[in-house]
Amino acid sequence: MSVACLSALLLSVALALPWTSVQAAAGDEYNGKVLYRYTDNHGIQVLDDLVPPRYVAKGYEVLTPSGRVLKVVPPQLSGKELAELQRREAQREADLQLLKRYNSVADIESARARKLAIVEQDMAIMRSNISSLGRQIEQEEAVAARTQRNGREVAPELLQRIADLREEVSVLRERLGRREAEAVSINSEFDQAAARYAEIAAK
């Protein structure tokens, strides 16, 4: 193998390794000698055999004596910049998932309708059961009231049955409330998905 080929191979391997390995691999070609290029506080690029600690956070490049760039160390991000980068990355991933899931805004609306139909059917059943239980409670209470008007004591079993029916209604109403909140959440979710899809498609 020629010297040029060997040098190219060593460099390609070095760039794929951690920096400690880059130094070891580059040492064979450059006798371990590297230079650092950074920008000082006056905006001037400086080439030196080290990077002063105060400039490390601004980023720098590692070069061979001949000027070939071995590694680029990017500037460190501030907390705000890092948060913005993470937000953009999260949005990019969400957009990819949105485009994989739907082919058009019409697809999104169809999915909304299917999901809401299940929730609305469940709510209709609960409302019907609440109504039915309400009628049962009225009937049992009417029996209890009639018994009291006749001067007799209402049977404990009847009072317990009324209490059980009321408890069942309370549980159903709580479940219905959760389902109604779920329907609102579904609409909000699909509103956002449709708006974002239209925004992406318009680009």
Side-chain angles (χ1 to χ4, degrees), residues 164-188:
D164 290 344
L165 288 169
R166 286 175 176 168
E167 177 63 22
E168 193 172 347
V169 168
S170 178
V171 171
L172 280 172
R173 282 177 175 162
E174 184 179 349
R175 286 178 53 199
L176 178 60
R178 289 200 299 268
R179 279 307 223 177
E180 288 172 341
E182 184 180 351
V184 172
S185 178
I186 288 171
N187 271 318
S188 177

Side-chain angles (χ1 to χ4, degrees), residues 24-36:
D28 292 339
E29 184 180 6
Y30 311 114
N31 296 320
K33 176 65 175 177
V34 292
L35 296 173
Y36 300 88

Side-chain angles (χ1 to χ4, degrees), residues 37-140:
R37 183 163 58 199
Y38 60 91
T39 302
D40 66 14
N41 287 335
H42 302 290
I44 299 172
Q45 283 197 334
V46 178
L47 195 62
D48 204 345
D49 57 359
L50 57 83
V51 181
R54 65 184 180 277
Y55 296 129
V56 170
K58 295 182 178 181
Y60 56 91
E61 296 174 320
V62 184
L63 303 88
T64 68
S66 64
R68 179 180 298 174
V69 176
L70 295 176
K71 183 179 182 181
V72 176
V73 178
Q76 294 178 10
L77 298 177
S78 67
K80 185 176 181 180
E81 290 171 334
L82 181 59
E84 176 60 19
L85 180 63
Q86 292 172 337
R87 186 198 67 78
R88 289 200 303 266
E89 180 60 26
Q91 184 64 66
R92 187 186 70 83
E93 181 61 29
D95 289 346
L96 287 175
Q97 293 301 320
L98 184 66
L99 294 174
K100 285 180 181 178
R101 190 174 303 162
Y102 305 109
N103 293 321
S104 65
V105 173
D107 277 354
I108 295 175
E109 295 301 336
S110 294
R112 182 209 300 262
R114 290 193 299 271
K115 200 165 185 178
L116 281 177
I118 296 172
V119 175
E120 288 170 353
Q121 182 180 20
D122 196 17
M123 289 192 295
I125 292 172
M126 284 188 281
R127 291 190 183 105
S128 177
N129 288 341
I130 290 171
S131 179
S132 177
L133 289 170
R135 289 192 295 271
Q136 291 182 49
I137 291 171
E138 289 176 357
Q139 292 171 1
E140 298 291 5

